[in-house]
Amino acid sequence: MNVEHEVTLLIGEIKRLGTQDAEGKYSVTFGVLFNDDQCANIFEALVGTLRAAKRKKVVTYEGELLLQGVHDKVAIKLLKDSL
């Protein structure tokens, strides 16, 4: 698995599914990302990709590990448009 490639794909999916705030930053909830069919086909391990993106300071969200159902309403905010 190429982590940088996966993070780049994640950026595109957040832009596709998310909404822009007044600062022009995109955000999407974990539930929307997790339940999207296109994301399911792209990412084998969405949670792992999100953690890698958070370590690279590409996205931010509360907590460390996101779980389906429990964290569906957690907002994932895109901090950078590229790596």
Side-chain angles (χ1 to χ4, degrees), residues 57-71:
K57 303 205 184 316
V58 174
V59 299
T60 188
Y61 55 86
E62 282 191 35
E64 284 297 313
L65 182 66
L66 299 176
L67 302 172
Q68 186 207 7
V70 179
H71 298 112

Side-chain angles (χ1 to χ4, degrees), residues 1-9 48-49 51-53 55-56 83:
M1 178 170 87
N2 183 342
V3 175
E4 290 185 3
H5 178 68
E6 294 262 323
V7 171
T8 301
L9 292 175
T49 303
R51 289 184 74 189
R55 279 194 305 274
K56 293 178 180 291
L83 289 175

Side-chain angles (χ1 to χ4, degrees), residues 10-26:
L10 179 64
I11 292 168
E13 292 305 302
I14 292 172
K15 286 182 173 182
R16 180 177 69 86
L17 295 168
T19 55
Q20 268 185 307
D21 63 13
E23 298 171 356
K25 300 284 186 189
Y26 284 88

